[in-house]
Amino acid sequence: MKGAAGVAEALAGALRDVIAAAAGRERSAALAGALLVALLPSPTQAQNTHILLISGLGGDPAYTDAFHGWLSRFADAATEKYGVPPARITYLGEKTDLDPTRIRARSTADNIRSAFVDIAAAMSPTDELVILLAGHGTFRNGTARFNIPGPDLTPEDMAGLLTGLGDRRVTFVNTASASGPFVEALSGPNRTIIAATRTGRERNATRFGLHFVDAFADDGADIDKDARVSMLEAFSYALSEVQREYEGGNLLLTEHAILDDNGDGEGSRELDELEGDGALARMVFLTSIGGVGGDEAVTPELRALYEEKAAIEARIADLRRVKGQMSQERYEDQLEELLVELAIKNREIRAAGGGG
């Protein structure tokens, strides 16, 4: 029996090997038909990712440079590895002169509000938004704040801004200290909310943001070897690396990142996508329905292929959610079939001029 991890690795590296492995086993047509019916998702449309990067007050040149470095690396990874065009990345920073060509404006409350208006107008109903904050946070009188030039940003402020996006899928990542209260305030349907700390009382500067960005910029976070990184993989990778860093320095862990994506307002560290948090984050990636690094027009043929790919991915996610209800052999067989189908669809997309 070919294990699921081996199948996924074959998918990423060599479609031919996967198909050869599958050909050596007898398959049940009835089971395949049942799989198609059981895992048929609701209509799924291909989407583009829009990104809003916000760098807060550094308070010290070393922090200012570090926060800018994190966000710049994230933007580079989004464009160079995952095909998100620079035109769909908005960067607001403490100091525009750090990178005048990349940083659109200072990260003031007014500029943040304007950015949300512009992004909402540019998004299609099926597009999604990733918001990444790098900076310091405070917690006073029961209120958390993300420190920016001028009046700080509270969870209530951000909740009002997200309301303007309707029911679009949103990933919000606050890597600052004292960021925990943002989770409860922003939780809701179609939202993945990540905070670097569990509560507002964890006030020390955090390292979560560095490792969260590394998950996308480097190669160590792609656990299932499908050549891309989900928000769930990035969160889990950053958790592990933060803990390793603190233990390596023989330091007490002072930051406990949490994730909420089931809308209950309670963040988790140990995720259970079947009964708790993690199911939505597993399906969120940095994506572009155009070619890598570009924003070229998408033909009707290519858009249809992206739609079909998204439907296959939804079926894979559905299968993973019911993994515990079937034998390991049956799960691996059905997963293999879907991964082969996905690999073939990626090949068709590349042949049509898109990014698979």
Side-chain angles (χ1 to χ4, degrees):
M1 170 62 59
K2 189 176 182 65
V7 174
E9 182 175 355
L11 166 66
L15 170 63
R16 202 173 308 144
D17 292 343
V18 180
I19 295 175
R25 293 202 298 271
E26 183 177 349
R27 301 229 174 246
S28 167
L31 180 60
L35 172 66
L36 290 175
V37 173
L39 298 183
L40 186 64
S42 57
T44 304
Q45 292 184 304
Q47 66 276 328
N48 285 315
T49 300
H50 297 250
I51 297 173
L52 175 58
L53 306 174
I54 303 175
S55 177
L57 294 174
D60 180 277
Y63 281 121
T64 296
D65 291 342
F67 299 150
H68 172 61
W70 297 357
L71 298 186
S72 296
R73 289 186 70 227
F74 187 84
D76 288 341
T79 297
E80 297 168 8
K81 296 183 67 176
Y82 304 107
V84 179
R88 291 206 300 270
I89 301 176
T90 302
Y91 183 0
L92 304 178
E94 176 188 3
K95 297 180 177 180
T96 58
D97 58 4
L98 283 175
D99 192 344
T101 61
R102 191 196 297 266
I103 301 176
R104 167 175 156 176
R106 295 195 75 205
S107 51
T108 64
D110 285 343
N111 288 338
I112 292 172
R113 281 191 289 270
S114 296
F116 267 90
V117 172
D118 293 344
I119 291 171
M123 294 176 71
S124 76
T126 60
D127 285 352
E128 56 190 51
L129 176 62
V130 173
I131 305 162
L132 177 59
L133 276 57
H136 296 299
T138 55
F139 185 73
R140 293 191 301 272
N141 301 322
T143 300
R145 291 177 171 83
F146 179 71
N147 304 148
I148 56 176
D152 290 336
L153 189 68
T154 68
E156 290 69 28
D157 294 332
M158 182 57 69
L161 295 173
L162 293 188
T163 300
L165 297 171
D167 60 358
R168 292 183 178 93
R169 194 156 68 179
V170 173
T171 300
F172 174 89
V173 185
N174 187 347
T175 68
S177 51
S179 53
F182 280 81
V183 171
E184 181 179 1
L186 304 185
S187 177
N190 264 347
R191 293 182 182 178
T192 299
I193 311 298
I194 297 173
T197 73
R198 186 163 47 199
T199 70
R201 294 179 176 83
E202 292 185 323
R203 298 186 177 94
N204 292 344
T206 66
R207 301 291 290 169
F208 178 84
L210 167 65
H211 299 298
F212 184 83
V213 169
D214 283 347
F216 293 96
D218 298 332
D219 299 321
D222 184 13
I223 302 302
D224 59 8
K225 304 302 180 186
D226 64 352
R228 57 187 184 164
V229 175
S230 70
M231 290 298 163
L232 179 61
E233 287 176 318
F235 175 80
S236 300
Y237 175 85
L239 274 188
S240 176
E241 289 301 299
V242 166
Q243 183 168 341
R244 186 180 64 82
E245 183 175 342
Y246 275 80
E247 289 176 351
N250 200 26
L251 301 172
L252 177 67
L253 187 65
T254 59
E255 57 183 280
H256 299 81
I258 54 176
L259 179 152
D260 169 72
D261 68 356
N262 65 358
D264 67 357
E266 297 183 5
S268 306
R269 287 173 60 80
E270 298 180 2
L271 305 179
D272 180 357
E273 62 188 89
L274 296 178
E275 299 182 357
D277 294 311
L280 178 60
R282 179 184 286 280
M283 298 174 62
V284 178
F285 303 89
L286 301 181
T287 59
S288 172
I289 63 173
V292 174
D295 203 13
E296 61 271 23
V298 179
T299 65
E301 175 196 5
L302 190 53
R303 181 173 292 276
L305 290 172
Y306 279 117
E307 301 283 356
E308 293 164 6
K309 175 183 175 180
I312 296 169
E313 291 170 336
R315 288 158 55 201
I316 291 172
D318 286 343
L319 177 63
R320 283 171 169 157
R321 278 194 287 271
V322 299
K323 176 181 178 181
Q325 303 172 25
M326 61 179 67
S327 69
Q328 183 68 16
E329 180 177 358
R330 183 184 176 194
Y331 169 76
E332 290 177 356
D333 283 349
Q334 294 188 10
L335 178 61
E336 181 173 320
E337 291 179 3
L338 288 169
L339 290 176
V340 170
E341 189 177 345
L342 179 61
I344 293 172
K345 191 60 60 180
N346 279 333
R347 185 173 61 182
E348 293 174 356
I349 289 172
R350 287 192 293 270

